[in-house]
């Protein structure tokens, strides 16, 4: 079964400083990666999806995938206090019916 | 755009009680999902359905039943609530196998 781990568990950054979140997965045949954000008491909001090695940018969010090293990163450029939330990494494979495996999340706090 | 509506937002039940959570989507999506989110853990898939009247077990299906009587709705039943059941239950939907997944805001279950 796929194992997805995220680090760090929590991260505090100053407003405007780059935030980098890490996600590792166990199955090298995975090919569908998503980063979600969840504000307290709210549903999940997809930030960026990536399907092949390299980078994918969506606004201030950049995902970086390296399947050989089993890592997918999320970089948040110039985060604002409103970006304080739980960030979840989700990993799936094209074979089988889209069962995404989620990490436990990184709790990000952006201080003014 | 569409929306996923989960009811109720908060559910309090007694240990041993049978409890039902409901989910409606107006995206006209074929696939619907139920995930459980525990504090400090990632999301785990309970059940999913790829079309009306279809049910597929996820990794966490024991102790739950699900029902997809029509395309727009997907219900989850906790067959006998336990105190360790306390969690947020998230409903989601997507067009098909590997397209974007949209989430509801969740039902928070408390068992007393």
């Amino acid at each position: 079964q796929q194992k997805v781990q995220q680090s760090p568990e929590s991260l505090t950054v100053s407003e405007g400083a780059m935030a980098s979140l890490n996600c590792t997965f166990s199955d090298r045949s995975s090919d569908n990666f998503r980063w979600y954000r969840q504000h307290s008491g709210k549903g999940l909001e997809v930030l960026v999806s990536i399907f092949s090695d390299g980078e994918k940018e969506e606004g201030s969010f950049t995902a970086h995938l390296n399947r050989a090293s089993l890592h997918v990163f999320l970089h948040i450029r110039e985060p604002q206090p409103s970006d304080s939330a739980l960030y979840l990494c989700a990993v799936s494979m094209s074979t089988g019916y889209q069962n995404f495996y989620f990490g436990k999340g990184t709790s990000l706090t952006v201080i003014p | 755009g569409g929306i996923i509506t989960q009811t109720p937002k908060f559910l309090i039940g007694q240990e041993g009680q049978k409890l039902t959570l409901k989910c409606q989507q107006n995206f006209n999506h074929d696939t619907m999902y139920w995930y459980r989110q525990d504090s400090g853990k990632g999301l785990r898939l309970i059940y999913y359905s790829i079309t009306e009247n279809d049910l597929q077990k996820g990794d966490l299906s024991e102790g739950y039943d699900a029902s997809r009587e029509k395309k727009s709705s997907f219900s989850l039943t906790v067959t006998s609530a336990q105190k360790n059941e306390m969690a947020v239950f998230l409903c989601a939907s997507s067009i098909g196998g590997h397209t974007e997944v949209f989430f509801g805001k969740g039902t928070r279950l408390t068992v007393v």
Side-chain angles (χ1 to χ4, degrees):
Chain A
Q1 183 175 321
Q2 176 86 259
K3 285 184 172 33
V4 179
Q5 294 182 304
Q6 292 185 239
S7 62
E9 280 189 26
S10 63
L11 177 65
T12 299
V13 300
S14 297
E15 186 175 354
M18 172 83 82
S20 293
L21 286 61
N22 182 28
C23 175
T24 60
F25 52 97
S26 60
D27 192 328
R28 199 167 264 114
S29 59
S30 302
D31 60 2
N32 195 335
F33 305 85
R34 308 261 165 94
W35 281 98
Y36 288 91
R37 177 170 68 181
Q38 186 181 33
H39 285 103
S40 182
K42 305 290 185 185
L44 274 66
E45 171 194 2
V46 63
L47 300 173
V48 56
S49 303
I50 187 166
F51 309 104
S52 57
D53 285 345
E55 288 193 350
K56 173 90 176 289
E57 186 177 318
E58 296 282 356
S60 61
F61 302 101
T62 301
H64 183 110
L65 174 62
N66 183 331
R67 280 195 286 178
S69 68
L70 301 171
H71 281 83
V72 55
F73 298 95
L74 179 69
H75 304 293
I76 307 173
R77 191 172 57 252
E78 298 183 351
Q80 304 299 306
S82 59
D83 290 316
S84 298
L86 182 70
Y87 287 77
L88 292 163
C89 169
V91 180
S92 177
M93 286 182 281
S94 292
T95 55
Y97 220 88
Q98 192 150 313
N99 183 4
F100 275 102
Y101 289 89
F102 284 79
K104 295 180 184 181
T106 292
S107 178
L108 176 68
T109 302
V110 182
I111 52 177
Chain B
I3 190 167
I4 295 178
T5 303
Q6 291 187 238
T7 55
K9 288 183 182 173
F10 300 95
L11 180 58
I12 299 175
Q14 293 188 321
E15 201 167 8
Q17 192 176 358
K18 184 175 174 179
L19 302 166
T20 298
L21 291 67
K22 293 188 184 295
C23 177
Q24 296 266 348
Q25 52 97 0
N26 63 0
F27 288 101
N28 200 33
H29 284 167
D30 290 310
T31 307
M32 295 186 74
Y33 312 79
W34 274 107
Y35 283 91
R36 173 176 159 159
Q37 184 178 28
D38 292 271
S39 179
K41 296 186 182 177
L43 275 70
R44 291 177 288 173
L45 184 66
I46 306 172
Y47 267 98
Y48 67 99
S49 166
I50 61 175
T51 189
E52 187 177 324
N53 293 319
D54 175 74
L55 286 177
Q56 307 285 339
K57 291 184 179 181
D59 297 324
L60 203 68
S61 61
E62 191 169 330
Y64 301 94
D65 284 328
S67 175
R68 183 94 183 270
E69 302 98 345
K70 51 184 182 175
K71 190 176 181 179
S72 62
S73 68
F74 194 29
S75 302
L76 180 73
T77 298
V78 181
T79 54
S80 177
Q82 305 297 314
K83 285 207 171 163
N84 63 4
E85 208 79 69
M86 291 189 283
V88 176
F89 291 82
L90 291 167
C91 176
S93 72
S94 66
I95 292 173
H98 302 286
T99 57
E100 196 51 72
V101 180
F102 296 86
F103 284 82
K105 294 184 179 179
T107 292
R108 183 174 293 276
L109 174 64
T110 302
V111 181
V112 297

